[in-house]
Amino acid sequence: MSFLSPLLEVQELDLAADAARKRSEDLPERSRLPQLVAEGVAIEKRLSAARADRAAREAEEAGLGRAVSQIARDIESAEVERYSGKRFDQDEAKAHEKSQRELHEKQAGLEEQEMALLEAIEEIDARIEGEEAARVAHRAEVARMEEAIRKVEAEVEMELARLTEARQAICRGIPEEVMTAYERVRAQAQKAGRGAATLSEGRCGGCRIRLPSLEKTRMMAEPETALIQCPQCRRVLVRGSDR
Ligand SMILES: [Zn+2]
């Protein structure tokens, strides 16, 4: 085991931390949430539209009800007048019959409209009931998703705390210069989070380049605490035992 072997252990911990964070970020529940929020907005919108629709039809129905009552009163008072003993000639009697007939027809027509409105209100009520049920189900779904996210976040947090602690213990033995170089390369894109690699049989374990033998000899001759980096990928090289 070489002096810098613990750096590879640090890298394993860092990769485990990356994976833990990715697990939290990639949660399907997390990507589903915005869509779910949009669905909730749509439900509320449909619900308030249905309620407004219901209120409008209810007002219309009440208006029709008043009109029907008024006609009933008109018919009644015309009847009272007709049979009050007042004399009606034939034309007046005919006109009375015609007017009453028309009033009855109008009343029947309005009552029909009223019935249709009551039916429409019933349908709207069913719609409102459906949307309210959808809202309850939707809220339960949001709560379930948020709970699933919270659970994984808590697990990941604990995992990260454990990894950080283990990392700190190992890092103490590694020269700062080496850690800095490792962190810098690790942060670069296309390095897959790997800032260190083994140097084994003259090859960089990161990018697989074979080092010129002169370069390899020079690296092998460096003190074991020295920072050596791959000339191609710049990863910190941890020398194996094959000197
Ligand atoms: Zn390399």
Side-chain angles (χ1 to χ4, degrees):
M1 184 172 138
S2 84
F3 180 78
L4 286 184
S5 295
L7 182 61
L8 295 174
E9 289 173 42
V10 168
Q11 176 155 275
E12 287 310 310
L13 296 174
D14 285 344
L15 291 171
D18 290 347
R21 276 187 289 265
K22 190 164 163 44
R23 184 186 161 217
S24 173
E25 283 162 18
D26 290 355
L27 266 184
E29 283 85 357
R30 206 184 282 286
S31 55
R32 169 105 172 83
L33 257 189
Q35 189 195 340
L36 207 57
V37 168
E39 282 168 19
V41 171
I43 290 172
E44 293 303 328
K45 217 169 151 181
R46 286 198 299 271
L47 201 49
S48 60
R51 284 179 177 150
D53 196 7
R54 192 193 196 284
R57 285 178 201 245
E58 218 173 12
E60 201 181 333
E61 194 270 325
L64 280 176
R66 283 191 299 274
V68 168
S69 306
Q70 183 57 53
I71 291 171
R73 282 194 298 275
D74 292 348
I75 291 172
E76 178 70 19
S77 54
E79 277 315 278
V80 169
E81 195 191 347
R82 172 73 181 86
Y83 298 105
S84 61
K86 190 178 142 193
R87 274 190 58 88
F88 273 61
D89 65 25
Q90 211 176 2
D91 285 348
E92 281 170 339
K94 262 190 187 162
H96 166 80
E97 294 304 325
K98 184 168 180 284
S99 157
Q100 290 295 75
R101 202 168 47 244
E102 281 170 0
L103 281 173
H104 277 292
E105 278 165 12
K106 197 174 169 194
Q107 187 182 35
L110 290 179
E111 276 169 351
E112 220 167 279
Q113 282 181 46
E114 219 184 333
M115 283 309 293
L117 268 174
L118 286 171
E119 269 172 36
I121 289 171
E122 239 174 76
E123 274 169 34
I124 295 169
D125 281 344
R127 226 164 73 210
I128 289 173
E129 208 176 297
E131 294 297 350
E132 279 171 347
R135 179 159 76 175
V136 169
H138 175 266
R139 283 182 179 168
E141 174 81 346
V142 169
R144 199 184 64 71
M145 295 246 162
E146 284 174 346
E147 178 55 30
I149 292 171
R150 261 199 303 277
K151 184 170 170 280
V152 170
E153 278 177 347
E155 284 169 9
V156 166
E157 207 174 301
M158 268 176 67
E159 170 79 349
L160 289 177
R162 186 185 70 77
L163 292 169
T164 304
E165 205 182 312
R167 189 186 196 275
Q168 277 166 352
I170 302 171
C171 280
R172 276 185 215 117
I174 303 172
E176 208 181 307
E177 180 195 25
V178 171
M179 281 312 298
T180 306
Y182 161 78
E183 301 278 11
R184 191 167 49 235
V185 177
R186 183 178 135 71
Q188 287 166 3
Q190 290 157 354
K191 292 281 160 58
R194 293 171 184 271
T198 51
L199 173 60
S200 178
E201 290 167 5
R203 273 187 196 282
C204 163
C207 66
R208 309 300 300 161
I209 195 180
R210 180 179 285 283
L211 299 179
S213 60
L214 211 66
E215 181 83 358
K216 186 196 163 193
T217 308
R218 185 190 63 74
M219 284 179 177
M220 286 306 194
E222 292 272 355
E224 59 178 0
T225 55
L227 166 64
I228 59 171
Q229 286 176 276
C230 169
Q232 179 166 273
C233 71
R234 306 303 298 159
R235 287 192 175 92
V236 175
L237 292 175
V238 176
R239 286 164 284 183
S241 47
D242 59 317
R243 283 174 184 262

